[in-house]
Every structure is written in C-alpha cells, then in structure tokens.
Amino acid sequence: MGYDVVNKKLVVNEVEAAHVRRLYELYLDRRSAVGVANALNAEHRSTKHLVSANGNSRGAREWDKNTVLTVLKSPIPAGLISSAGQVYEGEHEAILERDVWERVQALLAEKGGDRVVRNGRNPEYLLTGIVRCACCTKAFVPASNRRN
C-alpha cells in the first residue's frame, strides 16, 4: 500500500501514499486499529486492488483491524526494508517521516507487549501439550463448554 512495483522497484503511488499517511495520523490520534479501520471505512477509503503476475485479481476491500496492523507494522512506508528480522535502509522513497513510523512502532509495542495468541484458545490452559498420559504418552488437551 502506497507503492506500485515498476521494473522491480517500489515507486510511490501518491493516491495510496495519502491513504497510508492518513492511516498513521489516525492511529497516532486514536491509538486503536479498529478505530482506524472504522474511520477509513467511513471516509470510503479501501485497501489496494491487487493483480498478480498470472492475472489473478483481488479487489479492494474494506479495512479491518488486521489489515490496519499489517500496514502499521511494515517498515516500507518509512523507507526501510526488513529481512530475517532485521530492518535495513531501503532503496525506495519514504512516504512517511521516520519519527512518525518510530512513534507508531513504540505505541504498538507498548500496547501489544509480548502477548502470545494461541489460535484463539483460552490462555488459561497453560499445560496444553505438556501434560501427557502415562499409558499412551499422548498429550492431554483442554475442553470446555459455555454452559454454566
């Protein structure tokens, strides 16, 4: 989002770049990915329409929390590239000021911390996969229901 690929290089797409800048501005103001998604949808802004090399097309969609977080976490708008967990200076033009990107990363780290999400499972099941049956050595798995 914010760039087009031309001759294997990232080239700024000014219309999309404005959407990306707005997304970061909204996040700094609201500090909520869901709030940003709702605001972008209310402004009738959609995600990027993609066409793959083989011609498959994925139309533009409404924003949701995960799409907002994907854009916010990407170092590309700041003129950076990530590889193997490290961030490096990119060859492309930045569409955001570096300090804006860094402030958003700090907020995301502060808000998200080191939470571990396990496929939507109840985090109270701490021993999942650890406790094993003495007879067959299969792992015990938790079970619950919504009855009171």
Side-chain angles (χ1 to χ4, degrees), residues 3-125:
Y3 295 91
D4 292 322
V5 178
V6 178
N7 296 326
K8 298 183 181 181
K9 301 275 185 188
L10 292 176
V11 178
V12 175
N13 176 322
E14 286 301 332
V15 173
E16 291 178 5
H19 291 326
V20 171
R21 288 184 202 104
R22 178 72 176 137
L23 187 148
Y24 275 81
E25 174 187 311
L26 285 168
Y27 188 78
L28 287 172
D29 181 49
R30 298 173 186 227
R31 298 177 187 215
S32 163
V34 172
V36 170
N38 291 339
L40 291 172
N41 290 330
E43 294 173 5
H44 305 289
R45 298 178 190 239
S46 58
T47 63
K48 186 175 183 102
H49 177 260
L50 299 173
V51 179
S52 66
N54 65 5
N56 290 337
S57 177
R58 188 186 86 199
R61 300 177 183 170
E62 284 195 340
W63 289 93
D64 62 27
K65 173 186 167 185
N66 292 329
T67 308
V68 167
L69 288 173
T70 297
V71 174
L72 290 174
K73 290 177 182 179
S74 172
I76 292 174
L80 304 168
I81 285 287
S82 66
S83 177
Q86 298 293 320
V87 177
Y88 303 97
E89 198 67 38
E91 295 179 359
H92 59 286
E93 179 184 346
I95 58 176
L96 280 177
E97 297 294 323
R98 182 80 48 93
D99 69 311
V100 171
W101 183 78
E102 289 172 351
R103 281 189 292 156
V104 167
Q105 299 318 298
L107 287 172
L108 290 170
E110 176 184 304
K111 193 168 188 171
D114 292 327
R115 284 188 288 182
V116 175
V117 178
R118 300 179 66 199
N119 300 330
R121 294 185 185 143
N122 188 336
E124 293 178 12
Y125 300 138

